Amino acid sequence: MRPSGRQLDEMRTISIDTAVSKHAEGSCLIRVGNTHVFCTATVDSRVPPFIKGTGQGWVTAEYAMLPRATDIRTRRESTAGKPSGRTVEIQRLIGRSLRASLDRNILGERQIIIDCDVLQADGGTRCAAISGGWVALRLAITHLLDRALLQHDPLGAPVAAVSCGIYAGQPVLDLDYAEDAEAGVDANLVMSKNGDLVEVQMSAEGATYSRDEMNHLVTLAEKGIEVLTTAQDAAVHP
Amino acid sequence: MRPSGRQLDEMRTISIDTAVSKHAEGSCLIRVGNTHVFCTATVDSRVPPFIKGTGQGWVTAEYAMLPRATDIRTRRESTAGKPSGRTVEIQRLIGRSLRASLDRNILGERQIIIDCDVLQADGGTRCAAISGGWVALRLAITHLLDRALLQHDPLGAPVAAVSCGIYAGQPVLDLDYAEDAEAGVDANLVMSKNGDLVEVQMSAEGATYSRDEMNHLVTLAEKGIEVLTTAQDAAVHP
Amino acid sequence: MRPSGRQLDEMRTISIDTAVSKHAEGSCLIRVGNTHVFCTATVDSRVPPFIKGTGQGWVTAEYAMLPRATDIRTRRESTAGKPSGRTVEIQRLIGRSLRASLDRNILGERQIIIDCDVLQADGGTRCAAISGGWVALRLAITHLLDRALLQHDPLGAPVAAVSCGIYAGQPVLDLDYAEDAEAGVDANLVMSKNGDLVEVQMSAEGATYSRDEMNHLVTLAEKGIEVLTTAQDAAVHP
Amino acid sequence: MRPSGRQLDEMRTISIDTAVSKHAEGSCLIRVGNTHVFCTATVDSRVPPFIKGTGQGWVTAEYAMLPRATDIRTRRESTAGKPSGRTVEIQRLIGRSLRASLDRNILGERQIIIDCDVLQADGGTRCAAISGGWVALRLAITHLLDRALLQHDPLGAPVAAVSCGIYAGQPVLDLDYAEDAEAGVDANLVMSKNGDLVEVQMSAEGATYSRDEMNHLVTLAEKGIEVLTTAQDAAVHP
Amino acid sequence: MRPSGRQLDEMRTISIDTAVSKHAEGSCLIRVGNTHVFCTATVDSRVPPFIKGTGQGWVTAEYAMLPRATDIRTRRESTAGKPSGRTVEIQRLIGRSLRASLDRNILGERQIIIDCDVLQADGGTRCAAISGGWVALRLAITHLLDRALLQHDPLGAPVAAVSCGIYAGQPVLDLDYAEDAEAGVDANLVMSKNGDLVEVQMSAEGATYSRDEMNHLVTLAEKGIEVLTTAQDAAVHP
Amino acid sequence: MRPSGRQLDEMRTISIDTAVSKHAEGSCLIRVGNTHVFCTATVDSRVPPFIKGTGQGWVTAEYAMLPRATDIRTRRESTAGKPSGRTVEIQRLIGRSLRASLDRNILGERQIIIDCDVLQADGGTRCAAISGGWVALRLAITHLLDRALLQHDPLGAPVAAVSCGIYAGQPVLDLDYAEDAEAGVDANLVMSKNGDLVEVQMSAEGATYSRDEMNHLVTLAEKGIEVLTTAQDAAVHP
């Protein structure tokens, strides 16, 4: 019944290759089906003004798509003169999600910038960016620990994200583009490996949904997060 | 226990004055406690490119704060050169929320622009903008119906929005600024008068929350929405 | 003969409500007929670079219209990416006018920012912004004096502004939008309560005017300024 | 008593060289003392949207300074990303002034763009731009008449502009930079050769002026306009 | 003597993987040593204004670096608000180079956009972008020929680019970053497989070079182009 | 055979007037045929961040055309919001060329900004800007030496630039606009008076050229540089 032939609660194939950049402190290429996101983590001693002098660290994220990551080529945002509203919204979500499992006092006054560049898109790019971004962040922090630039590990359980939605009247897990374009309700959930919620975003476009449907979607997402955090663990502890 | 002395599930005082603009097709000034938002609805025969020729209508929203709506003056976005990421995110949320109760085929190929300008802010401005924006939209559509520019009413049950969150360890309804600045979990829920969900956004900053807490917050929000939609009904059927 | 039925030298009804913002050090909502401007004054210890270290203060102004302040909705300047030429010209005029009655040495090295946001426009918005802006400035300075943050009053006689012009061949006072759109000569005059001139701007569009007509318009303006400064006095000394 | 040793009512030396551009339909280099402005007029068949289909013409102006036209180098506005408020204000003034002596119906649906680029500045650049811009406009219209692209002359008497102000307590004509920087009242007047007023802008900065002083300044300006329009006539009728 | 231990006239290892994008009409990932560029070709029926109605085609290019393609993270150009001067210069070079081997009449009125995104940089990114861009262009044109959307092949011999320069006093081929940062003379040459020159850019920074040195560098480049065009041929005729 | 009737290796008439600005430390108006460029040099004690504290100086350049320098009026770059790619490319070339003959240690930690504004264009504007820019730079440095602000002369032999290309199948020197628009190969060469090369840029558009043709063009350029550097010498040693 799904365009891809998947079960209602079935994730796409996931792969996470690490150390794909010779320059970055942490990096991975995450593939969730045909969605491919190149993630790097940069450790920067300069911090944003609002944490200067607080002794606390910060994690921020930037997100972009290559112009031909999509079926129809998209105009470059540098040409448009600014990141689109969608881009800014996604960047804020990725940053907030990664900060959930971080002890900013232990990190100390430094910033880690996570760059998530979508090489190929097929739905769920922001979720793949969060899941891959966490791996890059984990590797950058390990890099600091290995060089004794950090004494204690500021990072908790893996954090991952998955989409779900109501497609053709049925709650389904991990929407690909064909499903996403048709779904009446579209959700992105961010959770940690131990089952805690970090972010729920559940939107209807020109429609509404019941509280029961909401609960069904959260249950589906929990299943997907388990698969994703298992893949994250494997990638960072090879 | 709350800074304002309110009960955990108690809304602030709500007032909605209509017809506050001599030019706009629909308008209101909504006050939710000390949060004051000036909302106008403009009917425009020009439509965005993506609906041209479809025969369907569109509702979009713009949101801004006066520079001194806040305790510390904020720089004008026209000076900054573009709307901030926060502004764009809120604008998209308001538009999506108002389209939930709209039959775009009945509206026909026209656009209604909802402008929400915050005169004074004390937490929950985006929720007040949605609740007030719906009133301005309702009045603009009644204006079209009264002049026989529309034959049938494209708008369903009132749609309102309310914030809730976990403040000092307790789930509370309708956060004011003092609470919002301290809350570890912050949620905005959009619902229609008949209890359907339109949007759930529940974010933790540097923290997580359990599924039980999520459910508690949704239940609180349902209570607030009832109060708000009652005030909306009174404002549009005086 | 005038669209509104007013006498040639008759002002519109004026009202000035003060303390309309809980955050600003000074604020008012001025109404000149159907032109409504929301004015706030913000005291800021940061000063512009060119007065740093001089011991002198500064007053600057920002001006904007809500998009639907006008009959036809205007695009937001934050979306356009910058304030228009008209906006910048008005902002400079407001600032210059308010500085005329100010002793910058007595004010001391601080800045007061006057925000003038037009909620509803019907001609003469820049003049209403100056007249209302002076009230907000006066209240902010009184706020500083009351708290002993200032020892002496740096502000002199009230400053107000009024438009006049040649409409249908006749010099008239205080143009509303219907007149303004048709006037061949359009003037804005800023004066203090004791009759001194601060600024004269008298423009013809596709026409010229004689020196006699110039003098007639200045005499009309003097009459309007008297009405306005009386209303300002009443507002600040209730 | 004046830094330059001039009489109170004495203009600086004026020269106007025409045909300084091989491409433009009309051009001149105007020198008013050490203020040098390069003016070109471009006839364009494309018109701005608001006159499309009206059969009427339009004259618009652009103004800029070379970065080192001033004693201290100024940042290029293309680098700053937009024309400054001062630039926009001047451009609007030049355009309005030149349209005063123009019959837009006779000109027909075409646009003439006047570019005024200041090669060297020593006070009064906007006035020199208006006076020189009128010469370029006159020559471009003669060019159209000569080629029978226009049947009738749409342009009336010469229009020129001059500054005056109160310097060291005395009303003086045609301020140079040394005077302009010190003047408490600063005026720019635009008039036609037959004595009609087009624009009066008289500003005090941190001061005020009396009605008598206003009249004195207008009388001085009339004298300067006579000198300027004589030079314009000589330049266009060699 | 070279940091990498290469001979003076030795290229780095080259690999070209094709079909790396499921969406683009042509694509490759070119690796020249540690410089990795992701190239896609998009066929677009919309053409730029200056060729509309001419029946001729166009090839244009866009170039960007991922922020952490470099050792020090670079700010995203969408955040900066516009492509840098360096980026624009490179984009123009890539487009001009690829058009050299193209018969624009045979291509017909369509545009092909080459996107070159640098995933990892180690010197010579613009050259790798040209060499990889040609492969993507070749594959996109083959795609059109295969689907009979083109009857004849508009593309001639392969075009490739290579850098060379004077490093530590010696002319060397294919500079990596360590060499590029130190080289007193830096050249980029674009040539076709049959030995014709398309572009020579040879710059000294704070130095000069003799005509003999110029000739030596061109001879080195000819050698590199042979290696590169052989790799291009192999990639497109597997 | 050439539109201008010149010999294949004949330069246009060159004139260089110095001291054309009363404010700038060095200035000239260079005319190469109908191409006229106004060049000023500004000495600035502020330096760009990357040389702060190095004790070394810097020379940078800015380039612009007046809107009607060309036959068809060009939009002002301040209105467009940023310098075009072509402008940036030219600015970088001018700066690099002028730094070639400069000893940055002797100049000491100061910046010299060369502004090149094209008053009238007829091909070869970037070359005229380099040749004229060098004269302005030379005069500004002499100004510093004369005032003992510099002890030693940091500037070597004159640097000039000339264009050449293949027009109607023939290599020609110093292209004017009529030739430039038709040339299949277009080159700009920067050289010093003693025959050293600073920059070679040789581009084909939709074509290629042989190594022999390249050599022929370099030989032509050497001839032009001799004429130009003789004129530079005469201008600075009158």
Side-chain angles (χ1 to χ4, degrees), chain E:
Chain E
M1 200 218 67
R2 301 179 71 175
S4 60
R6 280 187 283 150
Q7 298 299 311
L8 297 181
D9 63 352
E10 186 182 348
M11 291 290 295
R12 291 175 283 180
T13 308
I14 296 162
S15 80
I16 305 177
D17 295 338
T18 58
V20 295
S21 157
K22 77 174 263 213
H23 298 301
E25 284 75 34
S27 68
C28 76
L29 173 57
I30 185 169
R31 291 188 185 88
V32 179
N34 280 317
T35 290
H36 302 173
V37 186
F38 194 92
C39 304
T40 59
T42 297
V43 179
D44 194 342
S45 56
R46 289 166 306 176
V47 292
F50 59 89
I51 64 160
K52 210 163 259 176
T54 62
Q56 296 191 311
W58 191 248
V59 170
T60 191
E62 299 198 359
Y63 165 97
M65 288 221 224
L66 296 201
R68 195 57 197 281
T70 42
D71 189 31
I72 304 293
R73 185 179 181 273
T74 315
R75 196 181 173 207
R76 240 167 239 276
E77 298 196 329
S78 59
T79 313
K82 60 180 176 192
S84 71
R86 177 184 173 275
T87 293
V88 172
E89 200 171 312
I90 293 174
Q91 294 185 154
R92 288 156 58 97
L93 172 62
I94 303 172
R96 210 159 55 226
S97 299
L98 298 182
R99 289 192 298 271
S101 75
L102 180 79
D103 186 319
R104 291 172 48 208
N105 287 304
I106 297 179
L107 178 57
E109 201 165 312
R110 50 166 68 88
Q111 185 173 220
I112 302 184
I113 305 164
I114 308 296
D115 284 292
C116 304
D117 287 86
V118 180
L119 303 188
Q120 190 173 276
D122 186 32
T125 60
R126 79 188 68 189
C127 291
I130 291 168
S131 305
W134 189 88
V135 170
L137 174 61
R138 173 69 271 172
L139 294 171
I141 284 174
T142 301
H143 169 99
L144 292 173
L145 289 165
D146 288 351
R147 277 151 193 76
L149 295 166
L150 262 182
Q151 310 313 318
H152 299 286
D153 191 342
L155 205 59
V159 165
V162 74
S163 76
C164 47
I166 299 182
Y167 170 75
Q170 297 265 30
V172 297
L173 178 62
D174 187 27
L175 308 175
D176 56 29
Y177 181 75
E179 292 166 330
D180 193 32
E182 298 297 321
V185 178
D186 178 22
N188 293 292
L189 285 100
V190 187
M191 299 178 69
S192 75
K193 190 177 177 58
N194 45 39
D196 291 324
L197 288 153
V198 173
E199 178 109 13
V200 175
Q201 293 193 342
M202 208 173 281
S203 307
E205 176 67 53
T208 57
Y209 53 98
S210 69
R211 209 164 152 177
D212 274 357
E213 288 172 317
M214 181 190 85
N215 277 315
H216 195 145
L217 290 173
V218 177
T219 302
L220 273 181
E222 286 173 340
K223 189 156 181 189
I225 294 294
E226 206 178 309
V227 179
L228 283 158
T229 51
T230 302
Q232 289 174 313
D233 264 340
V236 300
H237 302 117

Side-chain angles (χ1 to χ4, degrees), chain B residues 25 68 73 76 115, chain C residues 23 25 68 73 76 115:
Chain B
E25 284 76 33
R68 195 59 196 279
R73 185 178 181 275
R76 242 166 239 275
D115 283 293
Chain C
H23 298 302
E25 283 75 34
R68 195 58 195 281
R73 184 179 182 274
R76 237 167 243 276
D115 285 292

